Amino acid sequence: MSFKNYYFTLFSIFYVFSVSLGQNIVRLDKSEITSVNLDQKIDALMKIANVQGLAVTVFNNNKPVYKKSFGYKNLLTKELINNNTNFYGASLSKSVFAVLVMQLVEKGILDLDKPLQDYLPQPIYDYKPTKKWHDNYQDLKEDASYSKITARMCLDHTSGFPNWRWDEPDQKLRVKTTPGSRYSYSGEGLVYLQVVLEHLLHKPLEQLMQENIFRPLKMNSSSYTWQPEFEKDYCFGHNATGEPYEKDKDNDARAASTLETTLSDYTLFTEAVLQSSLLKKSTTKTMFTQQIKIKSVAQFGPLRLKDSNANDAIDLGYGLGWVLLQSPYGTGAFKEGHGDGFQHYSIIFPQTGIGIIIMSNSDNAESIFKELLETAIGDIYTPWKWENYIPYNARE
């Protein structure tokens, strides 16, 4: 047996824990696919695109009907992923944080349109930083425009901040566009909102998330900081050639980017969003209402500054913490996650109760997202070009 065939034979033992209710999965257009056929499709896609690990949940009628994990935590050790294996969540962090923020809005603690600086007794830059870098706002002393930024602007990515301050040539934080005027993806905006809330409520982000989201939903393996109990079962990210990255375990909690979670836990969160069990239905509707239209050619890179009408057919825009599109089946609300060795995507169609979570520990995973979305739930609406999810069979 050749090494290649041996590798694929091992790889075909592709899931450890699974949930399937013995029923067909219903897609958006009412067509169906069996769980066995979806298993086979995922296995084939992973092999052809060299994806080391994948975890997938599909929802029908607002409940999970398919939940399975495929492939390896670490290609070198051949340890198999299961539904309770820890993944670095990357920007899936943002949608979870958005639900916390909307809870505070419901309670009257936070007004979406009140400038965040107005909640503080002193300028944000006068607070002594206590973290490695993210709560240091000294750069804003000479930039009064930051004082116009609201919670709504942070959630819909119109704060005017760059994605991260280290993207700037001098690595200094600044407001680059008039707050509220234009969509521009910004982790800094979410972190600014986090830091203001921490000062206002006198609680750190991790405590707020545990008290309001994780414990109520029994998301017992989720945190915004690395926990010792994660050591027993976690994924390594893999680069495009399948080599594992070193695992980053030393992060301060940041609302935009440091979520550690599992397929099982993120399934509980998504189910709660679909069923409005953490928020009032009216609040969920507000969260999934377009705040700003997106005209950019691409979400990232130089084309983020160039406008186009390419996504007008799906009325692409941002809600509060989620990207939104319009389809014949109603609104699609999605959130992505992308970091070294980890690529994730989740989209839900609340009016149909259909949705999917895709979590991966491979830099190649986004190349199969388009085909997997179409196969699993009939989603032909996700703007994969805007996301730069270039299919594996279309790459040079």
Side-chain angles (χ1 to χ4, degrees):
M1 180 183 294
S2 69
F3 177 79
K4 181 176 180 181
N5 288 336
Y6 177 69
Y7 171 84
F8 285 154
T9 298
L10 284 174
F11 203 86
S12 66
I13 308 172
F14 49 79
Y15 62 84
V16 178
F17 290 168
S18 66
V19 170
S20 180
L21 302 184
Q23 63 192 67
N24 288 354
I25 297 163
V26 180
R27 295 181 281 210
L28 290 168
D29 63 0
K30 304 300 183 184
S31 64
E32 298 182 2
I33 183 172
T34 67
S35 60
V36 171
N37 285 343
L38 184 53
D39 291 346
Q40 294 170 346
K41 183 65 173 182
I42 291 173
D43 191 32
L45 286 173
M46 290 176 68
K47 288 176 181 176
I48 198 169
N50 191 28
V51 174
Q52 285 68 47
L54 202 71
V56 178
T57 296
V58 179
F59 297 85
N60 281 174
N61 297 317
N62 297 327
K63 295 180 179 180
V65 293
Y66 177 98
K67 185 170 67 172
K68 295 188 178 181
S69 296
F70 304 75
Y72 302 117
K73 305 175 193 178
N74 183 335
L75 185 59
L76 297 181
T77 64
K78 300 297 192 294
E79 294 175 274
L80 297 174
I81 294 173
N82 65 71
N83 295 345
N84 297 308
T85 298
N86 171 274
F87 280 83
Y88 166 56
S91 286
L92 293 181
S93 308
K94 295 178 174 70
S95 53
V96 184
F97 177 64
V99 171
L100 168 73
V101 173
M102 297 309 290
Q103 287 179 328
L104 298 176
V105 172
E106 280 189 350
K107 294 173 182 177
I109 295 171
L110 185 69
D111 184 322
L112 286 172
D113 296 311
K114 179 177 178 178
L116 290 171
Q117 176 58 69
D118 291 357
Y119 285 99
L120 304 179
Q122 61 192 49
I124 190 72
Y125 49 75
D126 280 347
Y127 287 88
K128 183 179 179 180
T130 62
K131 307 300 180 184
K132 293 176 183 176
W133 60 269
H134 76 250
D135 63 344
N136 185 337
Y137 290 99
Q138 298 298 307
D139 295 339
L140 299 180
K141 279 187 176 182
E142 308 301 324
D143 191 352
S145 60
Y146 90 90
S147 62
K148 300 176 183 178
I149 297 172
T150 66
R152 188 186 303 275
M153 295 173 192
C154 294
L155 291 176
D156 69 14
H157 293 269
T158 62
S159 68
F161 283 140
N163 189 16
W164 297 112
R165 62 190 72 186
W166 62 73
D167 294 336
E168 297 297 288
D170 57 5
Q171 298 193 342
K172 290 186 176 181
L173 182 62
R174 55 176 54 83
V175 179
K176 297 174 68 68
T177 57
T178 302
S181 66
R182 180 180 173 87
Y183 165 80
S184 183
Y185 194 84
S186 175
E188 290 282 1
L190 273 292
V191 172
Y192 173 56
L193 174 55
Q194 165 199 337
V195 173
V196 170
L197 291 177
E198 288 176 323
H199 288 309
L200 176 65
L201 301 175
H202 306 290
K203 291 182 179 181
L205 174 68
E206 179 66 18
Q207 183 178 351
L208 290 169
M209 300 308 301
Q210 292 291 346
E211 290 177 352
N212 295 281
I213 306 291
F214 298 150
R215 289 175 193 158
L217 293 180
K218 295 183 170 54
M219 294 173 65
N220 299 324
S221 298
S222 294
S223 174
Y224 276 74
T225 58
W226 182 259
Q227 301 297 327
E229 56 266 31
F230 297 162
E231 292 285 349
K232 65 182 183 294
D233 190 2
Y234 69 92
C235 285
F236 285 82
H238 296 81
N239 66 18
T241 61
E243 298 172 339
Y245 289 100
E246 182 179 355
K247 174 63 180 176
D248 183 3
K249 303 177 184 178
D250 187 25
N251 274 324
D252 291 321
R254 288 188 286 275
S257 59
T258 65
L259 176 67
E260 300 281 348
T261 193
T262 67
L263 179 66
S264 289
D265 274 13
Y266 205 78
T267 297
L268 290 171
F269 168 73
T270 306
E271 186 174 10
V273 172
L274 281 165
Q275 298 181 7
S276 291
S277 62
L278 288 173
L279 298 171
K280 298 175 183 177
K281 289 185 177 180
S282 59
T283 304
T284 302
K285 183 178 180 180
T286 298
M287 189 168 65
F288 292 156
T289 298
Q290 187 182 115
Q291 308 294 310
I292 186 80
K293 189 175 182 64
I294 296 175
K295 299 290 291 184
S296 59
V297 174
Q299 187 171 28
F300 296 110
L303 291 179
R304 77 188 190 283
L305 302 174
K306 184 178 179 180
D307 287 348
S308 164
N309 61 2
N311 290 308
D312 284 1
I314 59 170
D315 193 22
L316 187 65
Y318 229 95
L320 297 172
W322 305 70
V323 199
L324 304 177
L325 60 81
Q326 296 304 314
S327 78
Y329 311 101
T331 298
F334 63 90
K335 191 68 200 78
E336 326 89 329
H338 183 109
D340 288 345
F342 292 94
Q343 298 183 347
H344 316 310
Y345 187 78
S346 174
I347 186 167
I348 54 178
F349 292 82
Q351 288 154 279
T352 68
I354 292 174
I356 189 170
I357 300 166
I358 307 169
M359 302 177 72
S360 177
N361 62 339
S362 169
D363 277 344
N364 295 324
E366 289 171 354
S367 73
I368 68 172
F369 283 3
K370 176 182 181 291
E371 195 166 342
L372 179 53
L373 289 166
E374 292 173 356
T375 300
I377 64 169
D379 171 17
I380 59 173
Y381 309 101
T382 286
W384 57 271
K385 290 181 181 179
W386 182 76
E387 298 275 13
N388 196 35
Y389 292 167
I390 307 304
Y392 61 91
N393 53 7
R395 293 183 171 181
E396 297 181 356

